[in-house]
Amino acid sequence: MTVKFSKDHEWINAADADAAVVGITVHAQDALGDVVFVDLPEVGKSFAQGEVAGVVESVKAAADVYMPVSGEIVEVNEALRADPSLANSDPLNAGWFFKVKLSDAGQLDALLSETDYTEFAKNA
């Protein structure tokens, strides 16, 4: 599994050539606390890398969800909309946010590996 991480605390799994899966990291959900609401992007909408694609709200704060790469939203996690706590209980699997069709796969190269992200998150 090829998972990369952004400095905005999103992860992206680009193992499926058609659509990469995006979610928030364990570090992000730890910092937020209990997630109570997610605002997911609209299917069919395109975003540039770094643009705000959604919002996650917890009992403590609200945080923007940024696009780790440029692309078009092809699917959102309706289960997460119904049960936002999935972002806490299973952030790297069932708690995914959306799937994106990459417009520039080369942008993945600029993202962090798991090891590099772990080091970055320790100091964040």
Side-chain angles (χ1 to χ4, degrees), residues 71-84:
E72 178 187 343
I73 303 300
V74 294
E75 186 180 341
V76 295
N77 187 352
E78 293 298 340
L80 187 62
R81 205 185 303 261
D83 183 6

Side-chain angles (χ1 to χ4, degrees), residues 9-93:
H9 307 289
E10 285 83 31
W11 59 266
I12 182 167
N13 180 348
D16 181 343
D18 292 332
V21 183
V22 177
I24 62 171
T25 64
V26 171
H27 176 83
Q29 69 83 28
D30 280 347
L32 283 166
D34 294 337
V35 175
V36 295
F37 176 78
V38 292
D39 182 17
L40 298 171
E42 188 179 319
V43 171
K45 186 160 184 190
S46 292
F47 294 91
Q49 184 178 33
E51 272 192 299
V52 174
V55 176
V56 59
E57 294 181 15
S58 72
V59 292
K60 292 198 276 187
D64 290 330
V65 177
Y66 297 93
M67 284 294 285
V69 294
S70 299
E72 178 187 343
I73 303 300
V74 294
E75 186 180 341
V76 295
N77 187 352
E78 293 298 340
L80 187 62
R81 205 185 303 261
D83 183 6
S85 69
L86 288 171
N88 294 119
S89 61
D90 196 6
L92 301 178
N93 290 298

